[in-house]
Amino acid sequence: GTHGFSIVRAQGFYLVNKVPQEAIAVGVAGAILGGITGRIVGFPVLGTAIGAVSGAVSGARRIYDWKSTRGVGAFVLDHTWALATTSAAVVATGVNAATGAQINESLTTRQNRMTFDRGLVLRRGFAVTFGYVVNGAADKDGTINDRRRKLVTHHEDQHVWQARIFGPIYPVVYVGWFAIGSIVAATKWLAHGRVTKLSDEIDATAYYRNPFEWHAYTCDDNWPPHGVDATKVWAQPFRGFSKSPSTPR
């Protein structure tokens, strides 16, 4: 009896220690913050669940730099004001796990973001950000050179912080701009006799002229973007921050 209980207790202790303590602590904190935020907007259970899962996963991956105010602020924003985009990060992480996407440790650990070499992307060769999750860091051939690393640290990291700063406003404005920009581009394309590629017109108006992308490309020292007709995008770089909030390591 006593011997059997000791074995069970020992096994339980072993299992608890197999789970990173940070995952447990951050999961609990995320659940609390997410629950409070969810209660405010009328979805306390959903908010708690998103916060708990996000906190546990991000804690297990050690993404937050707890020694800096920026890292602590990132965690608080992710699980309160930016909870909507964090829910997208949770979904993206789940899809990445299901498809076996490889996480990039050097671009993740204590970087206040979670970066995957591949994962769910919307366009081949283009990285994409869902909340604090960056997918598609690797080039088309699967490698990550200095240029791709800079793409993550200077461009995609801007999107991570845009989502944190603007919270639920960010996806609404981003998607709204793309939708309206696509309509404007298609109208111009038809009016001008369809002499150019419709996809290029949509890219220029709906994507590259998007203020969030304009800002991110400028911070990446890539304005006008390489390979894009400079006459179809904003003439000048974005007048604002010129460096990434997170210092590359």
Side-chain angles (χ1 to χ4, degrees):
T2 304
H3 180 67
F5 175 75
S6 298
I7 292 175
V8 171
R9 184 173 60 182
Q11 289 176 336
F13 179 77
Y14 173 76
L15 290 174
V16 168
N17 279 278
K18 287 290 287 182
V19 179
Q21 293 182 351
E22 186 169 339
I24 299 173
V26 181
V28 171
I32 293 172
L33 292 178
I36 293 173
T37 303
R39 181 175 293 277
I40 292 173
V41 298
F43 301 98
V45 176
L46 181 61
T48 300
I50 293 172
V53 173
S54 171
V57 174
S58 61
R61 290 299 185 179
R62 301 174 297 144
I63 77 169
Y64 295 109
D65 181 8
W66 300 112
K67 294 182 179 179
S68 70
T69 53
R70 186 176 295 278
V72 175
F75 168 73
V76 173
L77 287 171
D78 284 341
H79 296 85
T80 53
W81 173 237
L83 191 63
T85 49
T86 292
S87 64
V90 170
V91 172
T93 303
V95 173
N96 289 348
T99 56
Q102 183 70 32
I103 196 165
N104 187 298
E105 298 290 351
S106 66
L107 291 171
T108 295
T109 305
R110 305 306 179 207
Q111 299 299 306
N112 303 317
R113 64 174 175 268
M114 192 180 302
T115 306
F116 291 84
D117 290 346
R118 293 192 181 280
L120 175 66
V121 295
L122 304 179
R123 191 171 177 178
R124 190 167 181 266
F126 280 65
V128 64
T129 297
F130 301 96
Y132 57 74
V133 171
V134 177
N135 286 347
D139 211 339
K140 292 180 180 179
D141 61 1
T143 61
I144 297 185
N145 52 28
D146 289 343
R147 179 69 197 95
R148 297 298 292 191
R149 292 184 68 86
K150 188 181 179 185
L151 172 65
V152 173
T153 60
H154 288 66
H155 182 121
E156 297 305 325
D157 198 61
Q158 294 297 329
H159 292 318
V160 172
W161 282 94
Q162 287 165 355
R164 286 171 177 152
I165 293 169
F166 292 97
I169 300 171
Y170 173 71
V172 173
V173 173
Y174 193 104
V175 174
W177 183 285
F178 191 88
I180 295 173
S182 296
I183 295 173
V184 170
T187 301
K188 289 172 59 178
W189 178 72
L190 289 171
H192 292 163
R194 299 180 292 180
V195 295
T196 58
K197 290 178 62 178
L198 177 58
S199 59
D200 288 345
E201 297 298 327
I202 291 176
D203 273 350
T205 305
Y207 176 70
Y208 290 112
R209 283 180 177 262
N210 185 314
F212 292 121
E213 292 296 344
W214 184 24
H215 175 239
Y217 274 98
T218 297
C219 290
D220 190 21
D221 300 319
N222 188 24
W223 193 266
H226 178 71
V228 175
D229 186 347
T231 64
K232 294 184 178 181
V233 296
W234 302 118
Q236 298 295 324
F238 187 91
R239 297 189 182 280
F241 296 108
S242 60
K243 292 184 179 180
S244 171
S246 294
T247 302
R249 297 178 182 177

